[in-house]
């Protein structure tokens, strides 16, 4: 395994202490990053490394692979408390969420990725130059009708039930959507679409007994440090479709008190990123959040 091998794949890169924050922590806000701690002299690393690089290519950008040479990057190895190599960690949304030591076979590696909702992307998504076709907006109520019919004709098709739950959420039918989500099989429970739907349901549940927007706005005007009111107002704006106003409230919470209620401002932003469909807006606020956190 050589450095040139590691960089031959567009989704594989060499992580260093200098680029770790930007290329691993911040990029993990957009796409999961596997961090592979290895060394030239490590026999099992020479088995695991090529398999990870193959998967990075096969998954077409569904995750990135960061290679850390422990001999050259002892500071990073120490920060992650690496005891043996190879050791692999998964970083999502700026946080270490899982990992494993040793060289796993390809099948178990795929299971590990699936467990964390990482599925191979369409090869077409790997072509950054491919023009995006404009899609006409879909009437959510018409979509619910269509999906009810298709799901009724194929009651064992869990994918259709997930699609129906998502369509129901867009019409405000949160209770029925939640029932469908609760009944999904395990392989879909960690799907990115399910996670996004759960985040939307979380905002809806938060607002169940919340005061109206004008009351929350008045509370914030009289006390800008009323972070509970900011949290509720941000959730209300997100649910009502005013994404930027909602994100701004959560960001202001982060500016005023990062540690409020065990990191709630950051959690609220991450949940909102899963819900908001404007990728440019999400990218803008991810960068703002990162600048405050790191």
């Amino acid at each position: 395994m050589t450095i040139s091998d590691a960089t031959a794949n567009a989704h594989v890169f060499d992580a260093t202490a200098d680029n770790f924050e930007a290329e691993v922590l911040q990029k993990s806000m957009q796409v999961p990053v596997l961090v592979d701690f290895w060394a030239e002299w490590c026999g099992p690393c020479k088995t695991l490394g090529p398999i990870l690089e193959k998967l990075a290519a096969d998954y077409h950008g569904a995750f990135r692979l960061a290679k850390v040479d422990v001999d050259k990057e002892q500071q990073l190895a120490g920060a992650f408390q690496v005891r043996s190599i190879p050791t692999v960690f998964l970083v999502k949304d700026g946080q270490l969420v899982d990992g494993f030591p040793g060289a796993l076979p390809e099948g178990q590696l795929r299971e590990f990725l699936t467990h964390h909702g990482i599925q191979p992307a369409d090869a077409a998504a790997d072509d950054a130059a491919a023009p995006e076709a404009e899609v006409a907006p879909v009437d959510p109520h018409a979509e619910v009708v269509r999906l009810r019919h298709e799901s009724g004709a194929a009651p064992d098709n869990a994918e259709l039930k997930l699609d129906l739950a998502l369509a129901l959420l867009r019409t405000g039918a949160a209770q029925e959507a939640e029932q469908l989500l609760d009944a999904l099989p395990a392989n879909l429970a960690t799907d990115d679409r399910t996670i996004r739907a759960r985040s939307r349901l979380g905002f809806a549940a938060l607002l169940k007994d919340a005061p109206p927007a004008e009351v929350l706005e008045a509370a914030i005007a009289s006390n800008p440090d009323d972070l509970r009111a900011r949290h509720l107002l941000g959730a209300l704006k997100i649910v009502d479709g005013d994404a930027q106003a909602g994100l701004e409230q959560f960001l202001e919470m982060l500016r005023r008190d990062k540690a409020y209620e065990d990191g709630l401002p950051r959690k609220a932003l991450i949940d909102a990123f899963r819900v908001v469909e404007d990728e440019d807006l999400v990218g803008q606020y991810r960068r703002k959040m990162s600048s405050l956190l790191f």
Side-chain angles (χ1 to χ4, degrees), residues 80-120:
F80 277 79
Q81 299 183 339
V82 174
R83 307 297 185 198
S84 62
I85 55 173
T87 292
V88 176
F89 292 106
L90 175 63
V91 181
K92 293 177 73 175
D93 295 324
Q95 288 190 326
L96 190 159
V97 297
D98 202 353
F100 58 86
L104 299 182
E106 181 174 337
Q108 289 186 33
L109 290 171
R110 288 181 180 272
E111 289 175 6
F112 176 85
L113 294 170
T114 299
H115 176 71
H116 290 285
I118 303 172
Q119 299 289 343

Side-chain angles (χ1 to χ4, degrees), residues 203-254:
F203 285 129
L206 178 68
L207 296 170
K208 185 177 180 182
D209 298 314
E214 56 269 21
V215 173
L216 296 170
E217 289 166 350
I220 293 168
S222 64
N223 178 15
D225 287 325
D226 187 342
L227 300 192
R228 180 180 179 278
R230 286 192 183 277
H231 186 214
L232 291 173
L233 182 60
L236 185 62
K237 295 294 185 181
I238 293 289
V239 170
D240 285 349
D242 191 350
Q244 184 165 2
L247 290 169
E248 192 59 42
Q249 289 298 332
F250 296 153
L251 191 72
E252 187 61 27
M253 291 173 66
L254 192 68

Side-chain angles (χ1 to χ4, degrees), residues 62-80:
F63 73 90
R64 303 181 79 217
L65 176 62
K67 308 284 292 182
V68 180
D69 184 335
V70 296
D71 290 335
K72 297 179 179 179
E73 301 296 332
Q74 295 181 19
Q75 180 182 349
L76 282 178
F80 277 79

